[in-house]
Amino acid sequence: MTPPPKKFKNPRLRPGFQGRSCSIAALGSYLPRRVLTNADLEKMVDTSNEWILTRTGIKERRIAAPEEHTSDLAAKAALLAMQRANLAPDQIDLIILATITPDMPFPSTACMVQKKIGAFRAAAFDIQAACSGFLFALEIGQHFIMAHTVDTVLVVGAEKLSTIVNWKDRNTCVLFGDGAGAAILRNCPGSHGLLTTCLGSDGNKSDLICMPAGGSKCPPSAHSLASGMHYLHMDGRETFKSAVNAMHMAARDALRRCDLDISQIKCVIPHQANRRIIDAVSERLGATPAQVFTNLEKYGNTSAASVAIALDEAVQLGRIHKGDLILLIVFGAGLTWAAAVIEW
Ligand SMILES: CC(C)(COP(=O)(O)OP(=O)(O)OC[C@H]1O[C@@H](n2cnc3c(N)ncnc32)[C@H](O)[C@@H]1OP(=O)(O)O)[C@@H](O)C(=O)NCCC(=O)NCCS
């Protein structure tokens, strides 16, 4: 009897590989309660619901309360993921948190989250890859599991972008929102889990999206405040083109590494920045609308939290089942980008 055709290639399982696989054991997400609609924005800047909807696909976004910090959003997402994984705080070995809106420049927001969830056995640190941060963090966490260094990693993407958006700049303020998503990484016998992640960066285009002031290059000053340099700045048109190219190439590379065709992917979860970017990337990949999951109409671009929130929602809605192959694709400031293939 001929064996059934091989479903996919696991690029990690090369000769001499001594490690173990790493899976997402559970997910959690948290969105602040306050909803800011396009109609609300019409009262704040010279824009219209029609413009925002047709150019971006966004209808509304969530805004955290003044007393709700990035670490609070992150801790709420983390606690839900821990509850779903039936995990006690002292079982977490490592916390990796991705954000561009930390509670403060230091110490890390990951340490704030450690305190809030009581995971006192864990080591904790932040990483920064802007909107690509969750996949960069997932890849780092995966290597700790694969190398048997630790057993349980909490990966979080969390943002309070409402604090760095210029609410008088219609070019940017309509795009972003607050939120957090969390994943528990573990070895789950019987599943290949994270099959591959293709990461990339292009520092030559670091000017396209940035916050010019507040760091060592331009410390906070009366001038930096008066000139709005402490806000997020973006060249929308160039960012759009770079995003489509980089997301498409990263996704193609990830599929190729696993000997996969896009038709074998059950669910594509792209960074939720702009409906037109998602459509252009999907079309280039040959993904059907039924394969592609979006929720940006409700939350806008939540940067490092974006794919984590979308992945959690897709699982909760029954769009992903055990054994399904899924493709995550992200893009952000840096520039940075990544694509990951996961056997669920
Ligand atoms: C920002 C973005 C939606 C703008 O869409 P666009 O089709 O490129 O629009 P343009 O930048 O060409 O601007 C077209 C016009 O709309 C205007 N405009 C910009 N924002 C507007 C708004 N909120 N409401 C109404 N008009 C607006 C511009 O001023 C411009 O007017 P002009 O022609 O008189 O100068 C789009 O470029 C984009 O999504 N880029 C990527 C952003 C992104 O995803 N960033 C995060 C990556 S992680």
Side-chain angles (χ1 to χ4, degrees):
M1 212 171 86
T2 48
K6 196 161 47 114
K7 207 169 148 201
F8 55 82
K9 181 176 123 194
N10 185 341
R12 283 193 320 254
L13 301 181
R14 52 192 181 273
F17 176 74
Q18 301 285 317
R20 58 183 170 173
S21 66
C22 170
S23 297
I24 295 178
L27 291 158
S29 58
Y30 174 76
L31 279 310
R33 212 165 329 143
R34 185 181 157 211
V35 176
L36 186 73
T37 64
N38 291 349
D40 296 327
L41 283 164
E42 283 177 352
K43 295 176 201 137
M44 295 160 66
V45 286
D46 181 14
T47 191
S48 65
N49 175 49
E50 202 261 333
W51 191 97
I52 302 171
L53 210 49
T54 52
R55 300 288 178 121
T56 73
I58 300 166
K59 292 181 181 162
E60 56 190 41
R61 64 291 291 144
R62 299 298 181 92
I63 305 294
E67 67 281 5
E68 223 175 7
H69 313 305
T70 296
S71 63
D72 296 305
L73 313 183
K76 284 181 179 156
L79 286 169
L80 181 57
M82 288 160 62
Q83 185 195 325
R84 288 175 177 163
N86 202 13
L87 204 68
D90 66 358
Q91 289 176 276
I92 296 172
D93 300 309
L94 183 63
I95 302 170
I96 310 175
L97 186 140
T99 189
I100 55 168
T101 48
D103 283 13
M104 53 184 85
F106 73 88
S108 71
T109 302
C111 284
M112 312 288 180
V113 172
Q114 175 192 35
K115 180 172 148 188
K116 286 176 180 168
I117 65 174
F120 296 114
R121 269 192 54 252
F125 63 91
D126 286 0
I127 67 126
Q128 210 270 60
C131 300
S132 307
F134 185 74
L135 279 200
F136 277 62
L138 216 56
E139 176 69 359
I140 297 167
Q142 173 193 207
H143 285 284
F144 277 89
I145 304 269
M146 277 166 54
H148 296 263
T149 311
V150 302
D151 290 323
T152 306
V153 180
L154 167 65
V155 172
V156 192
E159 302 285 9
K160 190 176 177 183
L161 295 171
S162 55
T163 56
I164 62 164
V165 161
N166 181 352
W167 291 103
K168 293 185 174 143
D169 175 14
R170 69 175 185 176
N171 290 295
T172 52
C173 75
V174 301
L175 303 174
F176 299 97
D178 301 335
I184 304 289
L185 302 187
R186 301 192 105 174
N187 168 250
C188 299
S191 166
H192 286 269
L194 288 143
L195 289 167
T196 196
T197 311
C198 295
L199 306 175
S201 305
D202 182 1
N204 285 321
K205 294 186 178 170
S206 53
D207 289 346
L208 286 189
I209 326 171
C210 62
M211 191 169 108
S216 59
K217 183 177 173 183
C218 182
S221 65
H223 169 69
S224 72
L225 275 179
S227 55
M229 289 164 74
H230 57 294
Y231 290 127
L232 182 155
H233 289 244
M234 184 180 69
D235 178 338
R237 261 178 234 183
E238 285 307 311
T239 301
F240 190 104
K241 283 188 244 166
S242 296
V244 172
N245 282 331
M247 291 172 78
H248 166 235
M249 296 306 285
R252 246 186 32 187
D253 286 351
L255 291 173
R256 195 186 304 124
R257 278 195 201 175
C258 301
D259 280 350
L260 279 169
D261 183 82
I262 187 71
S263 61
Q264 293 170 268
I265 298 292
K266 176 72 185 303
C267 192
V268 180
I269 303 192
H271 176 45
Q272 307 287 310
N274 183 315
R275 178 86 235 181
R276 290 185 298 139
I277 294 178
I278 293 174
D279 289 346
V281 173
S282 306
E283 194 185 313
R284 287 186 186 200
L285 285 173
T288 64
Q291 282 173 289
V292 182
F293 184 82
T294 58
N295 62 3
L296 86 167
E297 64 281 1
K298 292 187 290 183
Y299 309 131
N301 181 349
T302 56
S303 188
S306 166
V307 279
I309 294 170
L311 179 59
D312 183 33
E313 200 167 304
V315 172
Q316 293 306 314
L317 290 171
R319 290 279 301 268
I320 298 170
H321 298 102
K322 191 164 166 47
D324 286 344
L325 291 165
I326 63 169
L327 174 64
L328 307 181
I329 323 170
V330 293
F331 175 86
L335 299 176
T336 55
W337 56 86
V341 179
I342 304 177
E343 188 200 28
W344 200 250

